[in-house]
Amino acid sequence: MSGWIAVAGLGPGAETLVTPEVSVALAEATDIVGYIPYVARVAARPGLRLHASDNRVEVERARHALELAAAGARVVIVSSGDPGVFAMASALFEALEAAPEHQQLDIRVLPGITAMLAAAARAGAPLGHDFCAINLSDNLKPWALIEARLRAAAQADFAMAFYNPRSRSRPEGFARVLELLREACGGERLITFARAVSTPEEQLVTVTLAEATPEMADMRTVVLVGNSATRRVGRWVYTPRSA
Ligand code: SAH
């Protein structure tokens, strides 16, 4: 039997938000590879080997998956949300660049529902016009680049989605982000904090930038900032389709 790799997104949390395509890959797999809490979301069964690893070892993890598949295993690399959004798909291709002997392997990327889209759906339609997604972790890029992109996005009047808003290594970073946004967008701009979307711990709160505090976000929160036209309608938040 020849091996393969599927890089799969498990969605934001709820079982119902796992795509049928991903469920099929998980059912056919011999090996699951991924960050500990994501591997924990896969149901154990006899014959299924679980390889859970810690954060920040993405390329090593990907190399391990390539070696398993080359030896005949059917490997699913799991990410939360979508594997292409600040997750394992790019790490796999980085590992593949460094291991040309594996480039003929059967590799598929299986999309998932990313956190910002699950959160936006709960809130209404805050990303209904042009928007951008920014990872606020400075783990893999300098903080100055994060600020430059925030300013550019505010200047262009994009709605924005922020992943990894408060990292343990830089807890003061998100306070700086809020300050920068208040300066660039004004205090009346709407901001939604969506925590643990689609899980039993889900919490959504929308406030103005003037009311927002850094503690409203943690590492399980995705943050959505509206553009200049984003507004409330009833209990919803939406961004008009036109500008
Ligand atoms: N690949 C994932 C993102 C990984 S980065 C995706 O596509 O969703 C991890 C960040 O995603 C978290 O810090 C948080 O900002 C966001 N996130 C992941 N799951 C979430 C959920 N259920 N609710 C809110 N934010 C979530």
Side-chain angles (χ1 to χ4, degrees):
M1 195 113 181
S2 57
W4 48 252
I5 296 184
V7 198
L10 297 176
E15 271 309 305
T16 50
L17 298 183
V18 178
T19 70
E21 180 181 52
V22 168
S23 297
V24 169
L26 290 172
E28 292 175 344
T30 57
D31 293 79
I32 307 291
V33 171
Y35 177 39
I36 301 158
Y38 306 152
V39 171
R41 285 176 54 189
V42 177
R45 61 178 149 77
L48 181 66
R49 289 178 295 266
L50 303 176
H51 312 269
S53 46
D54 211 341
N55 220 346
R56 300 194 178 193
V57 294
E58 289 82 8
V59 176
E60 290 88 326
R61 182 189 294 149
R63 201 176 305 129
H64 183 211
L66 287 169
E67 283 156 13
L68 288 169
R74 301 188 295 276
V75 185
V76 177
I77 305 178
V78 288
S79 287
S80 73
D82 180 89
V85 180
F86 312 129
M88 280 303 295
S90 287
L92 176 67
F93 293 116
E94 259 180 66
L96 196 60
E97 251 173 359
E101 70 275 18
H102 292 317
Q103 284 173 10
Q104 298 313 313
L105 274 175
D106 175 359
I107 294 175
R108 289 168 299 150
V109 181
L110 311 182
I113 296 177
T114 188
M116 69 178 172
L117 299 184
R122 285 287 195 269
L127 304 179
H129 191 68
D130 299 342
F131 67 93
C132 64
I134 301 179
N135 186 345
L136 295 185
S137 164
D138 63 349
N139 192 11
L140 298 169
K141 64 188 167 193
W143 183 256
L145 181 59
I146 296 176
E147 291 204 1
R149 286 185 175 159
L150 285 170
R151 281 202 195 86
Q155 164 71 30
D157 200 19
F158 280 118
M160 303 172 216
F162 301 143
Y163 287 76
N164 295 309
R166 283 184 91 199
S167 63
R168 264 140 295 178
S169 57
R170 190 186 265 276
E172 74 284 7
F174 189 60
R176 176 73 200 116
V177 167
L178 289 178
E179 263 171 48
L180 188 157
L181 289 173
R182 275 192 285 264
E183 277 166 34
C185 309
E188 292 310 302
R189 186 68 55 93
L190 293 179
I191 180 169
T192 298
F193 295 87
R195 182 170 193 277
V197 175
S198 89
T199 79
E201 291 88 49
E202 175 175 305
Q203 261 185 314
L204 245 86
V205 57
T206 299
V207 296
T208 64
L209 275 177
E211 295 162 336
T213 63
E215 300 70 38
M216 290 176 170
D218 66 7
M219 285 306 278
R220 293 189 74 192
T221 307
V222 67
V223 180
L224 307 177
V225 179
N227 73 10
S228 59
T230 302
R231 48 193 182 249
R232 294 182 190 266
V233 52
R235 65 182 193 281
W236 305 99
V237 174
Y238 93 106
T239 302
R241 293 169 300 148
S242 54

